């Protein structure tokens, strides 16, 4: 039953400008009404004519109540299934102050490092934790999940090897089944042959370039892999180990027994199960791979004053730069979850982490001893946290039923043996309960000697130290940890401080009511492979969200498995390839991509085994249709797909989009639409009606899942009816995939489902009218800002009616000629005004791409415009010779507090001009914690773990 409507409709909470603002903004852009304005922006031929079927919007309270009724349909059992997922205890101080704190979850990717120092330090802690536990000298700042991390490591080895085409990658049969499946999916179109088998008997030959092992194995066995690594290296192959990060507190780390890389999942470091994600995976490796390893690396550099500062290092490895030469399309990481895992290590410290691992192992040994006393057979005598019990089918069925009656989930293998994986929540009483179930209710007394019986042998026991940096031992009390968390938070600019108008990134409101359900027990504590009768609420919520997205896009089906936008691109292209193969058109492998496309587009196409052909853009930013037609005709026999972003990457609605789609279809290809700019379509037009066959939907953009400092993300794909049979399946859980389904692209069946309630809540509270108004306002906000800024900065591209879409590009190339000012200078100067820069030099070098979104108020839009206008006047002062081109307020930005406090002021402008350039800054100032960072120094002197304390006092570091 609905409650009385005492609160404002959520639409009015979500959308920034209100009625008076709307009238003034429409006047500023020369329109008399919103409807007239939108007609001039969006071509009539792409406007949808079919009504939407969304349910009427609910208030925040009613939406939460409805979602609560779905959550209550879930039955949270004690899941001891394992398979790479373990229950864990999220320290309350981390849950409240990081996971549930918009100061941490509304940040953007740290491309502007000077105002992201807190997050970068937290990620450096994560990297250091991974480096210490795996034993390798270098690690990245997280990947999407364990399966994709293993696939990325395979690609890294393949890209660096001299083996012939159709090289072989060995995968141990002891790996988790979802990992084997994800790696196999990735390998298929890269020309890699997968061999799955027994690592003990596998024979290397000259075609094998790499191998994947699980440590401990999926059924719990702890293997000594030294001999395998020696044999691999003797044949020239590399070895990656998928490792349980917590087990490495007790076991010899992979680097010490000869592996070349380690991957895994940091989920059990305080990150809830969440039905499979989001969780932060990791990849650690040797120095030999640092220039080609996938993902982001946080490195230590110096700023303009010679002080230590952090940044994302070696960015030339990124797909946006390498494009079709990239070996990975990694874009979204799992930053928020990596930060949680890193803080878990800071919270517990080395002694605490070891204590947790020892307690889990001791409980597992007690369980094993009790099982032996019952006369049952244990498959392996060496284990960390998982026991595999050999049982006849009838006994196994009875045991599983008995466990289910006690609300306990265990793993059942195909041979009827069962697996029990213990975790941080396990107690001695739980061990007794498990044994009582296996004993048919009888008690099984345990003795102190039982725990010692499972001791890890000296040959496999870790002896090297870890987490030795002071950061892991300096915050033992909650008071100290809380202050550390907030000290880092204050070094980061997030949406809690000011707008972040990044073109193509859609940094809008992430409402508190949308985020609340994420940490509900019924969503947070669900194992991804829990029985279907325990997950009814999750499945209903996902099914309802699918229906909502189908209605909004016009597609016939949605797959939620891709857990990032780039992963959605890749998945969509694999579905297209599978369709062509089913039609007997295996040879179709040409992908047309406009020159203005996101860098992940060509990278995804290459990973899908396609050959990229670039289509020119015209001077106005639109696709050169003549060039498209020519190239479609030239490649008609091999044309597989076109990748197109709509509205275009240049921020305009192209009038010819239907013709473009028709040309591709006439030549046998399919149209993949990049959904990065869907925020300009929702409620007004549908991708499927425009002509798209598949489109990925960035839920972390258009549908309000927060960016989390660079992740989590969700990139589900929508497809037309003929592509529905090819949506990805899963080897463990049935997700409704058909017999022609492609293999899984992520470890969990629904990607990162614990954040799907955010988008469900957003759509449920907005309804059709609210979503439509949000889109219209996003477009108006962009045009309003463009109108205000055009007298000062040229607008690079406009649509046919002189309008932009939901984003626009301003040109700074003229001021480089007149004043020597670069885009970077403007980006850094904006920090002094309390703002994050727009997207810099993409898609056009020397420009800024601005997207304000619908959630920002007119007052905030005006402040941002005033900041840019003020900066333009500062540039005029340089043009007029008042300040030198190499020593001015832009070149020296950002200005830090200690620069202002220094006794000597060596700049030709005042301190006041440096730090108080606008009235609002005086009342609310964000102080950049570091000066402009020396990127080249950080790349030449790569340090990607917490440096020793002495380094901060080393004069050579200070001098750079």
């Amino acid at each position: 039953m609905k409650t009385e409507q005492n609160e404002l409709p959520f639409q009015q909470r979500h959308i920034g400008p209100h009625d008076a603002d709307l009238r003034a903004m429409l006047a500023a852009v020369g329109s008399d009404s919103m409807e007239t304005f939108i007609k001039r922006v969006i071509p009539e031929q792409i406007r949808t004519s079919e009504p939407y079927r969304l349910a009427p919007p609910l208030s925040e309270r009613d939406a939460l109540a409805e979602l609560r009724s779905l959550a209550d349909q879930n039955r949270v059992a004690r899941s001891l299934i394992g398979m790479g997922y373990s229950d864990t205890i999220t320290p309350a101080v981390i849950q409240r102050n990081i996971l549930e704190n918009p100061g941490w979850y509304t940040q953007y990717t740290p491309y502007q490092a000077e105002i992201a120092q807190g997050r970068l330090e937290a990620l450096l802690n994560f990297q250091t934790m991974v480096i210490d536990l795996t034993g390798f000298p270098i690690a990245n700042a997280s990947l999407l999940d364990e399966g994709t991390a293993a696939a990325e490591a395979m690609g890294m080895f393949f890209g660096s090897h001299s083996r012939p085409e159709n090289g072989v990658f060995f995968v141990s049969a002891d790996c988790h089944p979802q990992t084997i499946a994800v790696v196999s999916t990735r390998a298929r179109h890269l020309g890699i042959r997968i061999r799955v088998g027994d690592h003990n008997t596998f024979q290397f030959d000259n075609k094998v370039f790499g191998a994947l092992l699980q440590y401990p194995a999926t059924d719990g066995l702890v293997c000594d892999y030294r001999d395998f690594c020696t044999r691999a290296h003797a044949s020239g192959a590399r070895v990656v180990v998928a490792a349980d990060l917590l087990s490495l507190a007790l076991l010899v780390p992979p680097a010490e027994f000869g592996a070349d890389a380690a991957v895994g999942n940091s989920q059990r470091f305080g990150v809830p199960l969440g039905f499979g994600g989001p969780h932060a995976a990791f990849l650690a490796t040797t120095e030999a791979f640092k220039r080609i390893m996938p993902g982001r690396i946080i490195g230590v550099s110096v700023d303009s004053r010679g002080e230590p500062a952090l940044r994302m290092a070696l960015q030339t490895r990124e797909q946006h730069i390498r494009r079709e030469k990239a070996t990975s399309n990694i874009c979204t990481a799992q930053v928020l979850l990596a930060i949680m895992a890193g803080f878990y290590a800071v919270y517990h410290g080395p002694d605490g982490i070891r204590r947790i691992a020892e307690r889990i192992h001791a409980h597992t040994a007690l369980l094993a001893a009790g099982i032996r006393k019952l006369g049952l057979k244990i498959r392996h005598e060496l284990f960390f946290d998982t026991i595999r019990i050999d049982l006849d089918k009838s006994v196994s069925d009875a045991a599983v039923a008995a466990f289910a009656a006690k609300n306990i989930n265990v793993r059942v293998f195909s041979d009827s043996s069962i697996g029990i994986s213990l975790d941080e929540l396990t107690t001695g009483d739980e061990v007794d309960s498990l044994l009582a179930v296996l004993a048919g209710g009888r008690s099984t007394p345990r003795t102190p000697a039982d725990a010692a019986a499972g001791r890890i042998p000296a040959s496999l026991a870790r002896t090297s130290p870890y987490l030795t940096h002071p950061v892991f031992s300096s915050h033992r009390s909650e008071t100290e940890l809380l202050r550390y968390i907030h000290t880092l938070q204050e070094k980061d600019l997030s949406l809690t401080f000011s707008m972040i108008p990044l073109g193509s990134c859609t940094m809008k409101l992430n409402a508190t009511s949308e985020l609340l359900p994420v940490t509900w027990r019924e969503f947070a504590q669900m194992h991804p492979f829990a029985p279907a009768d325990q997950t009814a609420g999750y499945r209903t919520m996902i099914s309802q969200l699918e229906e909502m997205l189908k209605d909004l896009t016009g597609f016939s089906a949605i797959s939620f498995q891709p857990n990032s936008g780039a992963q959605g691109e890749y998945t969509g292209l694999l579905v297209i390839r599978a369709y062509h193969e089913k039609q007997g058109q295996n040879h179709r492998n040409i992908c047309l991509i406009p020159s203005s496309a996101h860098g992940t587009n060509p990278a995804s196409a290459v990973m899908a085994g396609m050959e990229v052909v670039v289509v020119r853009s015209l001077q106005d930013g639109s696709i050169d249709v003549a060039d498209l037609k020519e190239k479609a005709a030239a490649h008609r026999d091999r044309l597989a797909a076109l990748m197109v972003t709509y509205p275009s990457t240049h921020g305009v609605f192209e009038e010819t989009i239907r013709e473009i789609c028709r040309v591709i279809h006439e030549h046998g290809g399919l149209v993949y639409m990049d959904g990065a700019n869907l925020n300009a379509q929702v409620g007004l037009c549908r991708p499927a009606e425009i002509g798209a066959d598949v489109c990925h939907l960035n839920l972390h953009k258009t549908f309000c899942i927060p960016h989390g400092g660079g992740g989590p993300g969700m990139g589900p794909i929508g497809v037309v009816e003929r592509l529905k049979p090819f949506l990805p399946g899963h080897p463990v859980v049935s997700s409704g995939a058909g017999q022609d389904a492609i293999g899984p692209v992520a470890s969990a069946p629904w990607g990162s489902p614990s954040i799907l309630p955010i988008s469900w809540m957003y759509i449920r509270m907005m309804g059709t009218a609210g979503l439509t108004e949000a889109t219209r306002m996003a477009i108006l906000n962009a045009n309003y800002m463009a109108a205000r800024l055009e007298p000062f900065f040229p607008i690079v591209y406009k649509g046919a009616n002189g309008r932009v879409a939901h984003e626009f590009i301003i040109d700074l190339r003229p001021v480089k000629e007149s004043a020597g000012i670069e885009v970077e200078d403007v980006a850094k100067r904006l920090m002094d005004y309390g703002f994050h820069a727009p997207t810099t030099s993409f898609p056009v070098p020397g420009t800024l791409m601005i997207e304000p979104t619908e959630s920002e108020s007119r007052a905030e839009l005006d402040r941002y415009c005033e900041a840019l206008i003020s900066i333009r006047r500062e540039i005029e002062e340089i043009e007029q010779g008042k300040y030198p081109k190499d020593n001015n307020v832009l070149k020296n930005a950002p200005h830090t507090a200690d620069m202002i406090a220094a006794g000597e002021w060596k700049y030709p402008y005042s301190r006041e001009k440096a730090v108080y350039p606008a009235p609002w800054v005086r009342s609310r100032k964000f102080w950049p914690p570091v000066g402009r960072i020396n990127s080249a120094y950080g790349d030449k002197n790569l340090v990607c773990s917490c440096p020793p304390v002495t380094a901060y006092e080393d004069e050579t570091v200070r001098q750079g």
Side-chain angles (χ1 to χ4, degrees):
M1 179 181 294
K2 292 184 180 180
T3 61
E4 292 293 327
Q5 189 71 16
N6 295 320
E7 57 191 84
L8 281 174
F10 178 73
Q11 170 184 336
Q12 295 184 38
R13 302 288 189 189
H14 178 81
I15 296 174
H18 291 155
D19 291 345
D21 299 314
L22 179 61
R23 290 190 294 271
M25 295 166 70
L26 285 169
V29 300
S31 289
D32 58 0
S33 70
M34 179 68 91
E35 190 58 41
T36 301
F37 166 72
I38 291 297
K39 283 183 177 180
R40 289 183 60 82
V41 175
I42 302 181
E44 185 64 32
Q45 62 267 32
I46 71 162
R47 295 282 297 271
T48 185
S49 58
E50 294 296 320
Y52 291 91
R53 303 183 306 276
L54 295 180
L58 294 178
S59 69
E60 295 180 60
R61 182 180 175 189
D62 288 337
L64 284 168
E66 186 171 299
L67 188 57
R68 168 57 71 185
S69 70
L70 294 180
D72 288 344
Q73 295 175 27
N74 289 332
R75 178 162 58 88
V76 181
R78 183 75 172 102
S79 284
L80 305 178
I81 300 168
M83 300 177 71
Y85 301 94
S86 301
D87 216 339
T88 184
I89 298 171
T90 306
V93 65
I94 293 176
Q95 176 173 321
R96 174 63 63 87
N97 294 286
I98 296 176
L99 178 58
E100 298 175 342
N101 181 355
W104 283 96
Y105 64 67
T106 66
Q107 304 151 330
Y108 180 61
T109 304
Y111 288 121
Q112 297 296 333
E114 292 84 355
I115 51 176
Q117 288 296 295
R119 185 172 3 131
L120 290 166
E121 182 172 330
L123 290 174
L124 193 69
N125 292 342
F126 173 82
Q127 286 181 181
T128 303
M129 173 188 78
V130 171
I131 285 169
D132 285 2
L133 288 171
T134 62
F136 288 103
I138 188 170
N140 64 22
S142 79
L143 293 172
L144 298 176
D145 57 35
E146 184 167 323
T148 55
E152 292 289 346
M154 173 185 69
M156 180 178 77
F157 289 167
F158 186 61
S160 67
H161 214 282
S162 59
R163 290 288 195 250
E165 292 186 9
N166 298 316
V168 171
F169 187 71
F170 170 76
V171 179
S172 170
D174 289 334
C175 291
H176 296 314
Q178 70 272 19
T179 301
I180 297 174
V182 171
V183 168
S184 298
T185 300
R186 182 73 64 88
R188 184 175 178 217
H189 292 294
L190 292 177
I192 298 172
R193 289 183 294 149
I194 298 293
R195 288 186 194 168
V196 180
D198 184 344
H199 78 274
N200 291 299
T201 59
F202 179 72
Q203 297 296 314
F204 287 90
D205 59 38
N206 62 6
K207 291 188 176 181
V208 181
F209 68 88
L212 171 66
L213 306 170
Q214 192 85 45
Y215 183 64
T218 188
D219 65 356
L221 174 63
V222 176
C223 296
D224 187 340
Y225 289 124
R226 291 180 177 92
D227 177 65
F228 182 89
C229 292
T230 299
R231 291 190 291 116
H233 292 156
S235 76
R238 306 284 192 176
V239 178
V240 56
V241 174
D244 179 327
L245 200 60
L246 186 59
S247 77
L248 301 184
L250 304 183
L251 299 175
V252 173
E256 292 183 17
F257 61 66
D260 300 283
V263 297
N265 188 351
S266 63
Q267 177 265 316
R268 69 190 310 173
F269 276 56
V271 181
L273 285 165
F275 205 30
H279 306 139
F282 62 85
L283 189 155
T285 188
T286 64
E287 292 277 353
F289 295 102
K290 69 183 180 184
R291 302 281 169 182
I292 60 172
M293 72 180 296
R296 294 166 179 151
I297 301 173
I298 309 307
V300 181
S301 188
V302 294
D303 73 0
S304 56
R305 305 159 300 150
E307 296 292 333
L310 306 176
R311 62 180 287 273
M312 291 199 298
L314 303 177
Q315 292 186 49
T316 52
R317 303 169 311 112
E318 288 208 346
Q319 77 291 324
H320 282 299
I321 295 170
R322 301 192 70 204
R323 298 178 70 82
E324 65 269 16
K325 296 181 181 179
T327 56
S328 169
N329 70 342
I330 286 295
C331 184
T332 306
Q334 299 285 21
V335 171
L336 183 66
L337 299 313
I339 287 170
M340 288 181 65
F343 269 114
Y344 181 90
V346 171
Y347 177 87
H348 286 290
D351 295 338
I353 294 296
R354 185 173 187 88
R355 188 163 53 247
I356 293 168
E358 288 176 337
R359 188 169 63 246
I360 293 171
H361 180 61
H363 285 141
T364 310
L366 287 173
L367 178 63
I371 291 170
R372 294 190 197 97
K373 291 177 182 178
L374 294 174
L376 301 176
K377 181 182 177 184
I378 292 176
R379 178 75 60 94
H380 307 301
E381 295 299 322
L382 291 179
F383 48 76
F384 167 61
D385 67 350
T386 299
I387 300 295
R388 184 172 182 178
I389 311 169
D390 287 317
L391 300 171
D392 294 334
K393 187 176 189 312
S394 60
V395 178
S396 174
D397 290 345
V400 172
F403 279 122
K406 295 290 187 180
N407 211 31
I408 298 170
N409 297 326
V410 296
R411 182 179 179 184
V412 182
F413 291 86
S414 59
D415 63 358
S416 297
S417 60
I418 65 172
I420 302 176
S421 297
L422 304 187
D423 55 40
E424 187 181 2
L425 276 66
T426 299
T427 63
D429 289 344
E430 181 173 70
V431 172
D432 291 341
S433 298
L434 295 172
L435 291 172
V437 171
L438 289 169
R442 304 191 316 272
S443 63
T444 308
R446 47 187 167 93
T447 67
D450 292 340
R455 186 170 297 156
I456 296 169
S459 62
L460 291 173
R462 180 174 194 135
T463 58
S464 54
Y466 51 86
L467 304 183
T468 57
H469 192 275
V471 73
F472 298 109
S473 56
S474 301
H475 309 288
R476 294 279 65 80
S477 73
E478 181 163 329
T479 300
E480 290 299 319
L481 183 60
L482 186 66
R483 288 172 181 162
Y484 181 50
I485 290 172
H486 281 271
T487 296
L488 296 191
Q489 180 185 328
E490 290 168 0
K491 294 180 179 181
D492 268 30
L493 192 147
S494 70
L495 283 177
T496 63
F497 190 87
S498 60
M499 69 185 288
I500 302 177
L502 287 145
S504 196
C505 289
T506 314
M507 299 288 290
K508 62 168 70 177
L509 170 70
N510 314 120
T512 305
S513 57
E514 295 160 4
L515 273 292
L516 283 176
V518 171
T519 50
W520 288 353
R521 177 173 178 268
E522 295 82 1
F523 289 137
Q525 286 188 247
M526 187 67 67
H527 194 286
F529 306 147
D533 62 357
Q534 296 174 11
T535 64
Y538 246 126
R539 291 168 183 261
T540 299
M541 184 267 292
I542 292 171
S543 177
Q544 289 180 358
L545 181 57
E546 179 181 13
E547 291 303 313
M548 296 174 189
L549 295 176
K550 284 164 57 178
D551 184 36
L552 291 170
T553 61
F555 289 114
S556 298
I558 307 287
S559 169
F560 289 95
Q561 197 172 112
N563 48 8
S564 81
Q567 196 83 321
E569 294 174 12
Y570 172 66
T571 307
L573 294 178
L574 291 188
V575 166
I576 288 174
R577 293 219 65 175
Y579 169 80
H580 286 312
E581 289 171 4
K582 185 71 174 180
Q583 307 305 309
Q585 301 283 307
N586 299 31
H587 57 280
R588 289 192 175 272
N589 68 340
I590 296 292
C591 186
L592 301 183
I593 301 180
S595 59
S596 63
H598 296 92
T600 51
N601 284 185
S604 295
V606 170
M607 286 173 56
M610 294 184 176
E611 181 181 327
V612 174
V613 174
V614 177
V615 177
R616 289 196 302 265
S617 295
L618 297 173
Q619 192 169 358
D620 65 359
S622 62
I623 293 173
D624 185 336
V625 178
D627 189 52
L628 175 88
K629 289 179 177 179
E630 180 182 324
K631 286 172 177 171
H635 299 287
R636 65 178 306 135
D637 294 334
R638 293 175 55 206
L639 181 62
L642 165 74
M643 297 186 81
V644 61
T645 301
Y646 199 76
S648 77
T649 309
H650 289 142
V652 296
F653 285 95
E654 299 191 38
E655 301 275 347
T656 56
I657 186 63
R658 284 187 180 273
E659 180 185 4
I660 287 169
C661 294
R662 179 180 53 77
V663 168
I664 299 303
H665 291 148
E666 286 176 350
H667 291 84
L670 298 179
V671 176
Y672 167 89
M673 183 175 285
D674 186 314
N677 293 342
L678 196 68
N679 206 48
Q681 290 192 47
V682 175
L684 298 174
C685 46
R686 291 179 167 105
E689 293 177 4
I690 294 171
D693 299 288
V694 55
C695 177
H696 87 262
L697 317 173
N698 284 333
L699 300 190
H700 54 287
K701 294 181 180 180
T702 302
F703 296 100
C704 288
I705 292 175
H707 281 242
M714 275 292 278
I717 61 170
V719 297
V720 295
E721 186 66 30
R722 59 177 167 171
L723 295 182
K724 185 176 177 180
F726 307 99
L727 292 175
H730 196 274
V732 181
V733 174
S734 174
S735 55
Q739 63 179 10
D740 292 321
I742 63 171
V745 296
S747 293
W750 290 278
S752 295
S754 73
I755 54 177
L756 293 179
I758 301 170
S759 298
W760 186 98
M761 284 286 295
Y762 172 62
I763 298 173
R764 198 69 188 86
M765 292 187 295
M766 291 289 278
T768 300
L771 292 171
T772 304
E773 189 61 22
T775 303
R776 287 154 42 125
M777 189 56 69
I779 295 171
L780 177 59
N781 282 358
N783 279 272
Y784 173 71
M785 289 188 73
R788 286 212 59 192
L789 292 173
E790 189 168 20
F792 305 92
F793 300 95
I795 305 299
V796 181
Y797 301 116
K798 294 182 181 180
N801 291 315
R803 306 290 186 183
V804 298
H806 66 308
E807 60 190 5
F808 62 98
I809 300 171
I810 62 173
D811 198 349
L812 296 179
R813 289 170 293 188
V815 301
K816 180 178 180 180
E817 294 295 323
S818 63
I821 294 300
E822 306 276 357
V823 171
E824 181 184 31
D825 301 323
V826 176
K828 306 311 178 187
R829 181 56 173 159
L830 276 166
M831 297 175 188
D832 291 328
Y833 287 80
F835 286 119
H836 195 292
T839 301
T840 60
S841 290
F842 176 82
V844 181
T847 67
L848 293 173
M849 182 161 64
I850 301 171
E851 180 184 353
T853 85
E854 71 274 11
S855 295
E856 298 299 342
S857 67
R858 181 188 171 198
E860 186 73 351
L861 303 180
D862 284 338
R863 274 190 292 271
Y864 206 95
C865 289
E866 289 298 333
L868 285 170
I869 292 167
S870 177
I871 288 172
R872 183 63 184 93
R873 293 187 179 118
E874 292 171 346
I875 295 171
E876 287 176 6
E877 293 176 331
I878 301 168
E879 292 170 332
Q880 294 164 2
K882 186 174 180 180
Y883 298 107
K885 290 184 176 182
D886 61 350
N887 186 12
N888 55 67
V889 75
L890 281 91
K891 287 293 182 184
N892 297 324
H895 297 84
T896 64
D898 59 343
M899 289 170 66
I900 301 304
E904 179 186 5
W905 183 253
K906 56 184 179 181
Y907 307 109
Y909 46 88
S910 70
R911 299 176 200 245
E912 182 179 40
K913 183 180 182 69
V915 299
Y916 292 129
W920 65 84
V921 183
R922 291 184 177 276
S923 60
R924 190 161 182 257
K925 172 70 177 176
F926 182 90
W927 289 98
V930 298
R932 192 175 304 194
I933 294 173
N934 185 333
S935 299
Y937 177 88
D939 285 353
K940 291 177 183 176
N941 304 275
L942 182 64
V943 176
C944 64
S945 62
C946 297
V949 175
T950 54
Y952 291 93
E953 302 168 354
D954 190 334
E955 188 63 24
T956 60
V957 173
R958 289 180 177 274
Q959 295 301 321

